[in-house]
Each structure stands twice: as C-alpha cells, then as structure tokens.
Amino acid sequence: MKFIRLLTAVVLAALTAAMTALPAAAEGFTFNWDLGGDDIYNGGLIGAETNSDRPHCKSLFMLNIDTDTVVYTLNPDDPLPMASMTKIMTYIVAYENIPNIENTEITVPQAVEDDLEGTGSSLADVQVGEKLTGLQLLHLLMIPSGNDAAVTLMKHVDSLYESGQLTPPDAPDPEDPAGAGEDPTPAPQAEGDPEDNGEDGVTDYTGKSYFVQLMNEKAEELGCRNTHFANPHGLHSENHYSSARDMGRITQYAMKLPYFMDIVKRDGYEKEPTNMDPEGSGFANTNRMILPYEDDYGNAYWYSYANGIKTGSHDQAGYCLAASATTFGYTYIVIAMGNMEGYEKGVHEEMLDCRTLFRWAFTSLGKKTIASQGDIMSSVKLEYAYQKDELLLAASDNVSVMLPDSVEQSSIVVTVDKPESVQAPIRKGEVIGTATLSYANEVIATVPVVATESVARSDLIAGWEQGRKLLSSPWFIAIMAAIGALVVVYLILVIFYRRKQKQLKRVKKFRDM
C-alpha cells in the first residue's frame, strides 16, 4: 500500500513538472526576426555588430493604442528591474498630487544631495536651494532623466502630506462627526531604525515616503500585477521591479496626462535661468530614437516616427526603453526590458528591437473591422411570442482591431455566449449575450449582442406555455404521483374497511340466529 501511494505521488509530481514546463500560449502575432531584424544594412547600427535573428531584450510588450490590441509579446509578465522607466510613474504621481504644478515653485531640499551622494546617478544638475516650478522639474525628470528632479518631486509631495496640505482620498472628513477624533491615514513609518535606509540604502523608501506609497497605489489602480516601486528614480533595489505589460499600462495612462507627450517627444530642453543658475542650462534627451544624429560611437538609432517616451539603464536592469511611434493614423508603444548584452557593449539594442517592431507593425498590420453594428452574430430561442419562436442577435457596436494584412475575415472565429432561451416581451437593442471573436486561438475582441427587434408578449401563449410547463414539470408530476398514491392507499383502506364491516355483519347475523 505504501509503495502504491509513493508511486502515485511520484507520477503526480512528474505530471505537474511537465505541465509547468510547457510554454505559455503566444500572445499577439508572430513576427519573424530573421526577416525583419535590424542590422547594419537596414538603417541600423553603424560601427557595431548586432544579431538580427532574435530579439535582444529579455522582455517585450507591444500595444496598438488606437484599438488597445496587444500585437507582440515576449515574456511580458516577468518582473524585472525597470531602471529610469520608473520616472513615468513618478510623473503621474507628481502631476496628480501637486496642486497647480505648472506654476508651483519648489525649492530643492538638502535631502536631495544627501540621498543621491555616491550613487552615480544621472542628474539634471539641480542645486540645493534652487527654485524651480513643478513643470520645469517634470521636464528635467523626463528629458535628461534627472534623479535629482525625481527626489525633489518626491520630497515636495511628502512635505505637503506631512504638513496636512495633501489629504489622502480615503481620509475621513474632519467636519464629519463620525470621523471626529480619528487620525487620518498615518504617515508611512520606516521599519526598524529610522536612520537605517536598509540593504539598498536610499534606493528603498518603502514605508518612509508617502510619494512612493502613492506610486504603488496607482500601480494597483491601473491593474499592475507584477510591479512594486521602492523609489521615484529607478536606482536598483530588490524591492523595485515591474513587468513589460505593467509598464505598458503605466505608459498608456501617462500618455493621456497634460504635457506628458509634449515633454517626452522633445529632443532637448533649455532650462530658464534660476536663482542658482543665472545662465540657464541645456539638456539633450536620453532617448536616441528621437535624435537624428549618431552617438559618440557612430551608432544611429533614430526612427523618424518615434515620439517618446523614456529610457532606463543600470547594471542590474541593462538597457530598458518605453518607446512610442505614430504614423499612418496609428500609434504603438513598445516596452523593452533587460537588454544586458547591449548594455555591456554600450550598444542600445533595445532601441533596435523597438525600431524593428515599429517597422513591422506599420508595414504589416492594419486596422480591420471584424464586426459591424447590426451584423447578425447568432440567434436564440424565443418564448411567449405569437407566431415567432426565434430571435436574431446582432453586434451592438463596430469592432475594429489590429490584424496582419494577410488575415481574411473567414479566419475570425465567433463564439456567442447566450441563454438557452429568452421570454417576450423583448425590446430592440436589449443586450442578450456576448460575442467573442478569436484569431489563431486567441481572443482579439468581445462585443455585446443585442435583440434585432422588439417582440410583444402573447398572454394567451404565455398562459398556455406556463400551464404546459407546470403540468410537465417534475415537481408537478411528483406531487400528482404522491396524491395518486394516497388515493390508492385510501381506496385500499376503504375496501378493507367495508370487507371488515361485512364480516362483522355476518357474524352478528349468525349469532342472532
């Protein structure tokens, strides 16, 4: 018996391991890197070698913004260090929490210099005591990727919170008697010694910064599942990571905020003179995809349709990039993470991956209407209607997605989730179910299906059908069977009783004789 249990356990363990080892289903569309890869003969690298038969990054996520269609992925949910791509979320939190950020004057605190000393950070050369507007700091955050700008914004939001000028949205109303005497959400507290910044030093503000708390709350709000922020700049921390898909969600959200796209598409920024910088300063964008010239090593990464968004790099993350491009009426974003080989060589192969994917998408994919409003998708059985026993169901809206140009309409598989039947009365346009449209065994869209016409209820048919259903229902049959059984038992008892009475009469008559 023990041997059988042991053998069963071994077999189950082997099956589990085998299932775990199976590759996940591909998402998006197939892209042949052998045919489309960037190389020195295809407007790619000058003066450096690159492999064109494979992607250079560990993780890739490509999304068409116009139709919200995922068109290509590679390990999109692997949590990886994202370096300065972090600053996309920093922009979001700063913009949404600093009142009148365009004109608010912020003084750079001493803590910025103290926290970044010895980190080898990328800086925007802001100085302690320098007065800058929030909008200036957003430019310095995103264009030269200033870690000092990131910490300045963080410290400002933290100071607003600590002084009571910034109230958490879930804090109780101080004028509400029910909340009187209750302390609003407490300020984040460091675990352990408040002077100890932990294993990662100032790269981990978890539990110490309200700003970082807001970053994680926003990530959760946006549906990020493999993301945790520990700081506003992206310096390495074991507690600081994201996935390409999550960074795609964050980037897509940031693109809708005021000033964001105007800032990230600029090739440089001229900071106006300040109290600490009377001459002003100029900065180039770290995103070489929008710079139409070679770098110091003779490498060209420019892509004419690129319009942002944010670079990132350090020893643990390699080169990372959140890139966007727009042309032919379409906008795509690509999140590229974990270009380690290129980082070691000083070659921005993550930009080559992004450029290659953009070229492929713009030349090989197109917006296709796979369902139009009013298209008949299915039908459903109709009850309680006069001379009508079927109701046609149609798509409620137009459905358009990005698909390879070679895909035919006949390749789209439609599956409708609907009830077995519906009962009149029915209104035209009433939602009855959902149609799921798939291509290559992958769901590409869903659309509600609605009634194509209004149908009145026939009370006569409804009464007849309800009566018929009642008479044929299992409960009714069971009850009638029980009643019948009781009647039979009653009759049997009556018969036995009468026989008994006859016998008694005979006995009495015999005795009287």
Side-chain angles (χ1 to χ4, degrees):
M1 193 68 171
K2 289 183 179 179
F3 174 76
I4 294 175
R5 285 200 298 266
L6 178 61
L7 181 61
T8 302
V10 171
V11 171
L12 288 174
L15 288 172
T16 302
M19 293 177 67
T20 303
L22 289 174
E27 183 179 4
F29 309 117
T30 301
F31 173 60
N32 190 340
W33 288 87
D34 291 319
L35 299 178
D38 227 332
D39 55 41
I40 59 175
Y41 303 108
N42 192 23
L45 231 54
I46 299 174
E49 295 180 357
T50 180
N51 295 320
S52 61
D53 61 346
R54 61 176 176 82
H56 303 92
C57 295
K58 292 181 181 178
S59 180
L60 292 164
F61 178 81
M62 186 176 195
L63 180 75
N64 176 265
I65 295 293
D66 312 284
T67 60
D68 202 31
T69 304
V70 177
V71 298
Y72 182 83
T73 63
L74 174 69
N75 306 320
D77 299 308
D78 288 0
L80 297 168
M82 64 289 205
S84 284
M85 287 198 303
T86 297
K87 290 167 183 148
I88 302 172
M89 179 61 85
T90 302
Y91 184 105
I92 294 171
V93 173
Y95 183 84
E96 293 186 340
N97 289 277
I98 298 177
N100 189 23
I101 193 170
E102 300 90 339
N103 303 306
T104 295
E105 190 175 76
I106 299 172
T107 302
V108 180
Q110 179 65 42
V112 173
E113 182 178 297
D114 296 341
D115 283 8
L116 295 177
E117 185 177 2
T119 61
S121 292
S122 61
L123 301 174
D125 296 330
V126 302
Q127 303 175 52
V128 175
E130 188 170 6
K131 297 181 184 299
L132 299 158
T133 66
L135 187 57
Q136 284 179 307
L137 286 167
L138 292 180
H139 281 82
L140 296 173
L141 175 79
M142 302 302 293
I143 295 175
S145 195
N147 289 359
D148 42 6
V151 177
T152 300
L153 291 166
M154 178 188 73
K155 296 293 184 182
H156 182 69
V157 170
D158 286 351
S159 68
L160 292 178
Y161 175 73
E162 291 164 3
S163 63
Q165 299 178 63
L166 186 61
T167 306
D170 56 351
D173 186 348
E175 298 183 2
D176 182 4
E182 295 181 9
D183 189 22
T185 304
Q189 297 295 320
E191 298 179 3
D193 184 352
E195 298 298 324
D196 178 14
N197 280 316
E199 181 181 354
D200 295 309
V202 293
T203 63
D204 194 338
Y205 294 93
T206 304
K208 306 167 190 178
S209 167
Y210 180 60
F211 188 95
V212 172
Q213 176 182 313
L214 291 174
M215 294 175 77
N216 286 304
E217 289 176 359
K218 193 68 181 183
E220 183 177 357
E221 177 188 322
L222 295 177
C224 299
R225 298 181 179 179
N226 298 289
T227 296
H228 187 273
F229 292 100
N231 60 60
H233 39 58
L235 289 177
H236 181 63
S237 168
E238 294 298 328
N239 204 26
H240 191 85
Y241 53 84
S242 187
S243 68
R245 188 191 306 276
D246 286 355
M247 285 307 305
R249 290 189 177 100
I250 294 167
T251 301
Q252 190 177 7
Y253 180 85
M255 293 172 74
K256 302 173 185 176
L257 294 180
Y259 307 112
F260 183 84
M261 290 306 297
D262 290 335
I263 291 174
V264 299
K265 72 181 180 182
R266 299 178 63 164
D267 58 5
Y269 175 60
E270 293 294 330
K271 186 184 73 173
E272 295 180 356
T274 68
N275 62 315
M276 303 292 289
D277 183 12
E279 300 297 325
S281 303
F283 301 92
N285 199 316
T286 58
N287 183 2
R288 291 173 173 81
M289 289 192 74
I290 62 174
L291 304 180
Y293 47 79
E294 300 172 6
D295 65 10
D296 295 339
Y297 304 98
N299 300 323
Y301 305 97
W302 182 61
Y303 182 59
S304 58
Y305 303 124
N307 54 6
I309 290 173
K310 188 69 194 76
T311 60
S313 65
H314 58 58
D315 291 350
Q316 293 79 12
Y319 282 140
C320 302
L321 178 64
S324 65
T326 301
T327 191
F328 305 133
Y330 299 137
T331 296
Y332 288 91
I333 59 173
V334 177
I335 310 298
M337 301 178 69
N339 173 22
M340 305 305 296
E341 294 180 10
Y343 181 78
E344 293 174 0
K345 297 182 293 185
V347 179
H348 286 278
E349 293 171 337
E350 80 288 352
M351 296 186 185
L352 301 186
D353 282 356
C354 291
R355 188 169 64 184
T356 297
L357 287 171
F358 284 140
R359 285 174 172 165
W360 162 69
F362 285 129
T363 58
S364 303
L365 305 180
K367 187 176 181 180
K368 293 181 181 289
T369 299
I370 56 176
S372 298
Q373 186 179 30
D375 283 354
I376 303 302
M377 309 299 280
S378 185
S379 63
V380 66
K381 182 180 178 182
L382 179 63
E383 299 179 352
Y384 306 163
Y386 178 66
Q387 291 186 337
K388 192 172 186 64
D389 57 6
E390 185 179 51
L391 178 68
L392 296 178
L393 305 178
S396 63
D397 298 296
N398 295 328
V399 181
S400 298
V401 296
M402 301 303 296
L403 286 171
D405 294 334
S406 59
V407 173
E408 300 291 339
Q409 184 69 31
S410 58
S411 301
I412 308 299
V413 177
V414 179
T415 305
V416 179
D417 182 14
K418 60 184 180 180
E420 291 185 5
S421 63
V422 294
Q423 299 174 350
I426 295 291
R427 300 187 317 276
K428 182 178 180 179
E430 183 177 339
V431 176
I432 305 299
T434 303
T436 300
L437 297 97
S438 304
Y439 168 69
N441 298 320
E442 183 182 339
V443 175
I444 55 176
T446 59
V447 60
V449 291
V450 298
T452 56
E453 59 181 317
S454 296
V455 181
R457 177 187 179 99
S458 169
D459 291 334
L460 178 63
I461 294 176
W464 169 261
E465 289 294 326
Q466 289 172 358
R468 185 180 62 80
K469 288 181 179 179
L470 175 64
L471 294 175
S472 61
S473 68
W475 285 106
F476 181 81
I477 293 173
I479 291 171
M480 294 306 297
I483 292 174
L486 290 174
V487 170
V488 171
V489 171
Y490 173 78
L491 292 175
I492 292 173
L493 292 174
V494 167
I495 292 172
F496 275 107
Y497 176 77
R498 287 180 176 178
R499 286 181 178 178
K500 187 68 174 178
Q501 290 297 318
K502 287 180 180 180
Q503 290 176 354
L504 290 174
K505 286 181 180 179
R506 288 175 184 168
V507 170
K508 183 177 179 182
K509 183 178 179 181
F510 178 76
R511 287 178 178 175
D512 291 341
M513 292 178 62

